[in-house]
Amino acid sequence: MKRFPQYSFDIDRLTCTNTHGDYFISQLICGENHINAVIDWTTACVHPAVWEIMRSYIYAAEECANGEINVKRLVKYFRSYLSYAKLNMYDIETAAKLFYYQIAVCDYYGQYYASSEDNRKIYLRQAMFSTKLLKWFEKNIDTLTNTLVCDLSNK
């Protein structure tokens, strides 16, 4: 945490909206060519929209499975969102940093390592995935943020 950048977020400037809370691919019921339903709304709340966009992409995109983000595909994912709803420039400038900060401060290891549940290995795999993401963000946060700003500023 000593190496972690000192980010400051102005929640009042972020587009906050109703969100699923932990939206990812296993909570979708799909039909032939479309999504029929989204399930498990137990963590629904008001969050910054960009947090949910980042999280849903990272947990759904196959290329993120090794803790790496395909920036061009993430931009495309954001564009898809923007065809339905608006984000302001502060949202776009803050998206990667907000998500990076969230995974940095979550205590995945503490809560999962101490678990005595049968699916403890799944929890530990999640913690390892988050660690890989943190390493990726540490090296690529500026490039990701600059790309999002440049590619989405006119959308």
Side-chain angles (χ1 to χ4, degrees), residues 54 57 63-64 68-79 96 136-137 140-149 151-152:
M54 291 290 297
Y57 172 78
E63 64 270 12
C64 293
E68 298 178 359
I69 297 171
N70 181 312
V71 177
K72 288 182 182 181
R73 285 188 153 174
L74 178 60
V75 168
K76 185 177 177 182
Y77 193 73
F78 264 85
R79 282 194 180 125
W136 186 91
F137 272 100
N140 299 287
I141 188 79
D142 292 333
T143 300
L144 174 56
T145 298
N146 292 337
T147 302
L148 287 172
V149 169
D151 290 2
L152 301 174

Side-chain angles (χ1 to χ4, degrees), residues 87-115:
L87 295 172
N88 63 50
M89 189 44 91
Y90 186 74
D91 293 319
I92 294 167
E93 293 167 351
T94 307
K97 293 173 186 171
L98 184 66
F99 189 80
Y100 179 36
Y101 178 80
Q102 184 271 328
I103 58 174
V105 299
C106 278
D107 184 16
Y108 290 111
Y109 287 105
Q111 65 182 347
Y112 297 150
Y113 188 74
S115 174

